[in-house]
Amino acid sequence: MLNAQAPAAPRLLLMSPEDNCLIARTPLQAGEALEIDGAAVILPEDIPLGYKVARGALKAGDKVLRYGAIIGTATADVAPGAMLHTHNLASDYIPTYTLASDAHSFIGSTHQ
């Protein structure tokens, strides 16, 4: 279970106590040491401003929570402090429409 206290260095933002990801408040460099939930973590890669960072170890298939809600599923094992993005995270959002040729129109849409 994750600690409900402030888990991280001030360079990382926790949106909700249930979250298993943090948000980079500044650009972070590979090799930087940060504290997450009381543990020292060496960042394995550069992390741009605003990107998600694993709060703890995740296994492929684990749900990722942000704002206390599921936003996606880990597609690979993720180490604490690693960036969460399209290379290791699949969105769990259900699209309501797309603009592709096979798109579904929605009420009020001019898309055919």
Side-chain angles (χ1 to χ4, degrees):
M1 168 158 277
L2 297 174
N3 182 346
Q5 302 298 318
R11 299 183 66 198
L12 297 170
L13 176 64
L14 176 65
M15 302 302 292
S16 178
E18 301 86 19
D19 292 354
N20 55 5
C21 71
L22 304 160
I23 310 304
R25 297 176 79 178
T26 64
L28 303 169
Q29 300 297 314
E32 282 189 57
L34 296 177
E35 185 177 315
I36 300 176
D37 287 331
V41 174
I42 304 297
L43 299 180
E45 60 204 323
D46 290 344
I47 301 172
L49 169 71
Y51 276 61
K52 294 174 292 300
V53 177
R55 186 174 174 189
L58 298 169
K59 296 284 185 194
D62 284 353
K63 297 298 181 182
V64 176
L65 283 84
R66 181 173 177 183
Y67 304 112
I70 296 171
I71 63 163
T73 302
T75 58
D77 291 351
V78 181
M83 180 171 56
L84 288 162
H85 198 54
T86 56
H87 66 287
N88 59 11
L89 178 66
S91 175
D92 281 2
Y93 290 122
I94 300 171
T96 55
Y97 69 93
T98 68
L99 298 179
S101 61
D102 62 345
H104 301 284
S105 296
F106 59 96
I107 295 172
S109 170
T110 59
H111 178 72
Q112 298 296 327

